């Protein structure tokens, strides 16, 4: 009966693609927005259906593959397994939320704007589901290009420079990735790009060492990991808000995802050698980013640096090579994606209301906008991983694994969590409490759309925070496989 | 064989058309009909129907690769006429002369497509070059155009001389002009053979503007009227590469291991010099001429690898590179000011043309979803499959990264900068549609390159 669900993966690619191309050609006011919204809600429905109907048979049902370029041994292969399902779910949830909070006439040439947004979604879904390295690379770039245009056309004052920096960073990273992929392709017995063929490779230790860096740099730039993070605050600050949300919530996960799906299973020998050093680097970066975040006066930059710290924790969890941490990381990817969207929406709302982006120029918003305050405080609590919230489950699990790996490093990483409480609570205090200032005297509370969006996010925060086991069950579909090469080492 | 005769015939007809028909538009129409005829006869030959049968003593032989190459060339020329026909009409009293010259060039290219003897190579290259010298100098009142023509002529004559000397050495060693004859005789390298081969390599590098023989390119491309630069930089260059590839495959294939390092060095130099210099250019036309050098570096990787992937990839590369460059030049030819700033805010004024140009630029930069991605990709794969000198792949990829920088400067100007003062140019509806069709074709090739490459095996 559910044979039609075979095509889950390809539908998730086609839907946004068609919607995107369609919106480009529709000049009618408001229509592109509706098309995008419809397509993103349909995507969500498809992802949920795939979660419901294909649990038992595991991934066999959710795999498709079309022959693409036979001479090169490449085929359009997609899969929906545990890891992918979580990320697709995140993508499918975040897109409608982001689309909902965009005002009707906020952006000129809205047809191109929505078209590019939908193409981004198509690229992201492709990255998460690809089982073929060439297809993976293809979508990896495809997700980047629309974002480049979105930010450069509709971004802030310094958009061109900031976005170009972002573009060049990631593009160079992805070229490294391409070199690595080509080398591995050459090594496969029948010269194919298939993921399974890559997994079966037996690479010597020196090979693994330099290949590791090719892949790692590409993913590290995307996440970003200190010291490759310098593009991020500028890009987040200059990009239009919906794009910033997509970037910080989903696009950075491409890097984390890459580590789990590609790096970890491919280069076990190299990772065994490097992981302690990399975790140390990451934890230093986390503390560094958190310290900078404390001194930020711009809300956007604060969120950007906080994101570096949180993503760093995920990367550290991955390199701890424990199954517990890995499960935590995958869950946390989802949680972070949801929570950070809430922070951005609030920041966006405040900016539109007051015209101010500096924390020091705001104050007393709670008196004027109590609803916003409640929602944002919840999101902030989730951001610093208070118990009962989703991030607590995720980060606790990561720390659990990290502690097993090395208690000292875990303690060091823990410092950044404490620091994150410092800057997040500071921000809440300065913006929402205290005296009203000139900029905030006319603030109105959030409207119905925002209440809806925030309620969905809050619901997710608590549901995952209190009852995470169904999600863990999905995650476990794929975590064991990722680490099975490490058992014998 | 069909295309050689028909293109020569049509060239002669074109000249008479100049006397009979007074309207320039009809000359263009007649030229376009001619290309369609060429496409048909080329297709007939592909299907196995040869209209003429002439005993050439095996000096010309057409295989699938030659015919598909011819197809790409003729098709690109068709795109070129459709896009730039109205600009060719603006030159001189009678545009039919220029069309005639271009048809003669096509004759030369058709000879190149099938040469099996060094003599045919020489004749083909000369038939291509001489009309080009005229085209380069066609803007008679412009000093730069005259300079370009003279420079091109001197350099061309010089490199042809080197080529003839190389051929003479080879003949002295092998006693034959036939490629197979030379290839069979290659047991070990004699000094005479080595000198001949290196001279030929240098001459071919001249023709395809590979470093360190590239110095003429920017000046000549810059001075030549933009409409003709477009033809020179794309179709003629592809022909040069095809000759390069065919010569080294058929005549020196057995010595591959001996000369591969030379080509590797030339390719590396070309890639680096072309890309790095392009970064500093202020004029789009000059930038594109350096970018054409850079692209030549990539195509040289195909000559280096000399395997089946290189063959497929080169055909794709010719198509991808020609279509993209023709598109940009066609727009450029409509404007007098070629600085990058002059194109600020271009897309706001001309959204459709801006989008088509964007696709062309992305394709040149090798961004996925465009034909240029797979073209570059195949070149890299060809090197990888060849199995030696993996560092060439790394050089190629790093240079691709540099190229993104200067190509995207143009994208930034077109899309993100505030509109600049620029000459009022009205694009006709048909021009817009052809540009768009060109862009769509680039995307189609970027998603499914096999549709073109499968022709090699049908």
């Amino acid at each position: 009966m559910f044979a039609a669900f075979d095509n889950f993966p390809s539908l998730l690619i086609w839907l946004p693609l068609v919607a995107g191309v369609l919106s480009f050609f529709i000049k009618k006011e408001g229509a592109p927005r509706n098309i995008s919204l419809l397509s993103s809600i349909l995507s969500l429905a498809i992802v949920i259906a795939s979660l419901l109907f294909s649990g038992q048979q595991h991934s066999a049902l959710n795999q498709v593959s079309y022959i693409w370029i036979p001479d090169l041994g490449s085929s359009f292969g997609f899969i929906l397994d545990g890891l992918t399902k979580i990320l697709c779910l995140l993508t499918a949830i975040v897109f409608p939320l982001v689309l909902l909070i965009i005002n009707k006439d906020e952006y000129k040439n809205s047809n191109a704007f929505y078209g590019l947004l939908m193409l981004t979604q198509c690229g992201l879904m492709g990255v998460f589901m690809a089982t073929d390295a060439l297809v993976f690379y293809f979508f990896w770039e495809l997700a980047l290009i629309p974002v480049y245009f979105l930010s450069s056309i509709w971004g802030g004052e310094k958009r061109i420079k900031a976005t170009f920096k972002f573009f060049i960073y990631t593009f160079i990273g992805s070229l490294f990735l391409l070199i690595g992929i080509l080398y591995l392709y050459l090594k496969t017995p029948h010269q194919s790009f298939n993921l399974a063929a890559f997994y079966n490779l037996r690479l010597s230790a020196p090979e693994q060492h330099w290949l590791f860096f090719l892949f790692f740099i590409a993913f590290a730039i995307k996440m970003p990991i200190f010291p490759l993070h310098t593009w991020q605050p500028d890009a987040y600050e200059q990009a239009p808000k919906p794009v910033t949300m997509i970037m910080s919530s989903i696009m950075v996960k491409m890097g984390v995802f890459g580590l789990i799906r590609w790096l970890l299973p491919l280069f076990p020998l190299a990772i065994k050698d490097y992981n302690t050093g990399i975790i140390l680097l990451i934890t230093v970066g986390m503390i560094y980013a958190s310290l900078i975040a404390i001194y930020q006066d711009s809300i956007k930059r604060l969120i950007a640096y906080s994101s570096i710290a949180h993503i760093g924790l995920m990367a550290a969890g991955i390199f701890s090579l424990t199954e517990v941490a890995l499960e935590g990381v995958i869950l946390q990817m989802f949680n972070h994606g949801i929570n950070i969207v809430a922070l951005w929406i609030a920041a966006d709302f405040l900016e539109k209301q007051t015209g101010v982006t500096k924390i020091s120029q705001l104050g007393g918003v709670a008196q004027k906008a109590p609803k916003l305050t409640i929602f944002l405080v919840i999101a902030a609590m989730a951001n610093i991983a208070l118990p009962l919230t989703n991030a607590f489950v995720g980060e606790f699990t990561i720390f659990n694994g990290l502690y097993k790996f090395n208690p000292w490093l875990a303690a060091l990483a823990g410092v950044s969590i404490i620091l994150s409480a410092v800057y997040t609570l500071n921000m809440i205090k300065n913006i929402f409490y205290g005296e009203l200032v000139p900029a905030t005297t006319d603030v109105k509370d959030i409207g119905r759309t925002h209440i809806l969006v925030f309620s969905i996010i809050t619901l997710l925060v608590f549901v995952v925070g209190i009852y995470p086991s169904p999600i863990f069950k999905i995650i476990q579909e794929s975590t064991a496989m990722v680490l099975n090469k490490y058992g014998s080492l | 064989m069909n295309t050689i005769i028909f293109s020569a015939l049509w060239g002669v007809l074109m000249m008479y058309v100049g006397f009979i028909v007074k309207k320039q538009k009809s000359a263009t129409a007649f030229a376009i009909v001619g290309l369609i005829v060429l496409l048909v006869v080329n297709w007939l030959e592909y299907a196995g129907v040869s209209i003429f049968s002439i005993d050439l003593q095996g000096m010309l032989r057409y295989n699938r690769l030659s015919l598909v190459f011819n197809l790409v060339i003729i098709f690109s020329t068709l795109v070129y006429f459709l896009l730039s026909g109205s600009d060719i009409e603006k030159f001189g009293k009678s545009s039919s002369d220029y069309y005639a010259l271009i048809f003669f060039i096509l004759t030369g290219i058709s000879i190149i497509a099938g040469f099996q003897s060094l003599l045919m190579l020489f004749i083909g290259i000369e038939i291509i070059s001489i009309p080009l010298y005229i085209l380069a100098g066609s803007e008679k009142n412009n000093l730069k155009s005259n300079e370009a023509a003279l420079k091109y002529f001197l350099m061309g004559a010089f490199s042809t001389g080197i080529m003839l000397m190389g051929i003479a050495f080879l003949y002295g060693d092998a006693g034959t002009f036939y490629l197979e004859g030379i290839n069979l005789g290659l047991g070990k390298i004699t000094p005479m053979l080595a000198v001949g081969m290196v001279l030929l390599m240098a001459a071919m590098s001249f023709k395809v503007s590979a470093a360190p023989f590239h110095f003429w390119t920017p000046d000549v491309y810059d001075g030549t009227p933009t409409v003709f630069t477009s033809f020179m930089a794309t179709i003629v260059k592809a022909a040069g590469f095809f000759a390069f590839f065919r010569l080294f495959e058929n005549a020196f294939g057995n010595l591959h291991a001996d000369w591969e390092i030379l080509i590797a060095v030339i390719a590396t130099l070309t890639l680096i010099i072309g890309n790095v210099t392009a970064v500093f250019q202020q004029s789009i036309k000059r930038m594109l001429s350096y970018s054409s050098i850079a692209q030549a570096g990539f195509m040289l990787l195909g000559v280096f690898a000399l395997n089946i992937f290189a063959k497929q990839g080169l055909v794709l590369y010719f198509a991808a590179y020609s279509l993209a460059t023709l598109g940009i030049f066609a727009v450029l030819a409509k404007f007098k000011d070629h600085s990058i700033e002059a194109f600020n805010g271009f897309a706001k004024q001309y959204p459709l043309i801006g989008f088509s140009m964007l696709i062309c630029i992305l394709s040149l930069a090798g961004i996925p979803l465009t034909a240029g991605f797979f073209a570059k990709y195949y070149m890299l794969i060809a090197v990888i499959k060849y199995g030696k000198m993996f560092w060439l792949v790394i050089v190629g990829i790093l240079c691709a990264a540099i190229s993104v920088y200067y190509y995207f400067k143009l994208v930034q100007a077109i899309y993100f900068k505030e509109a600049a003062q620029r000459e009022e140019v009205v694009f006709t509806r048909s021009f817009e549609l052809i540009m768009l069709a060109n862009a769509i074709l680039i995307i189609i090739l970027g998603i499914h390159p096999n549709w073109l490459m499968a022709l090699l095996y049908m």
Side-chain angles (χ1 to χ4, degrees), chain B residues 8-62:
Chain B
L9 274 180
W10 213 275
V12 177
L13 280 181
M14 253 350 277
M15 293 201 291
Y16 285 106
V17 165
F19 292 121
I20 301 159
V21 183
K22 283 286 163 275
K23 263 171 76 185
Q24 305 276 12
K25 273 260 180 292
S26 9
T28 309
F30 192 70
I32 287 171
V33 172
L35 284 178
I36 292 168
V37 169
L38 284 187
L39 273 181
V40 171
V41 294
N42 190 55
W43 186 260
L44 281 179
E45 191 163 355
Y46 184 82
V49 183
S50 228
I51 299 172
F52 306 96
S53 75
I54 300 166
D55 183 16
L56 289 158
Q57 314 282 337
M59 287 205 283
L60 291 176
R61 192 181 308 140
Y62 291 89

Side-chain angles (χ1 to χ4, degrees), chain A residues 459-473:
Chain A
L459 193 69
L460 284 169
V461 167
F462 285 123
V463 168
V464 179
I466 295 168
Y467 186 53
S469 64
I471 295 198
F472 272 127
K473 208 177 265 169

Side-chain angles (χ1 to χ4, degrees), chain A residues 2 11 42 46 63 94 117 137 141 157 161-162 167 172 183 221 232 247 291 309 328 338 354 364 367 369 389 471:
Chain A
F2 293 116
L11 269 179
L42 276 177
I46 293 171
Q63 211 165 357
V94 167
L117 267 184
Y137 180 77
E141 292 283 313
E157 232 169 87
K161 224 179 140 195
F167 183 78
I172 289 177
Y183 187 84
I221 288 175
Q232 197 196 36
M247 277 163 84
L291 285 174
I338 298 291
T354 62
Q367 300 168 31
T389 63
I471 295 198

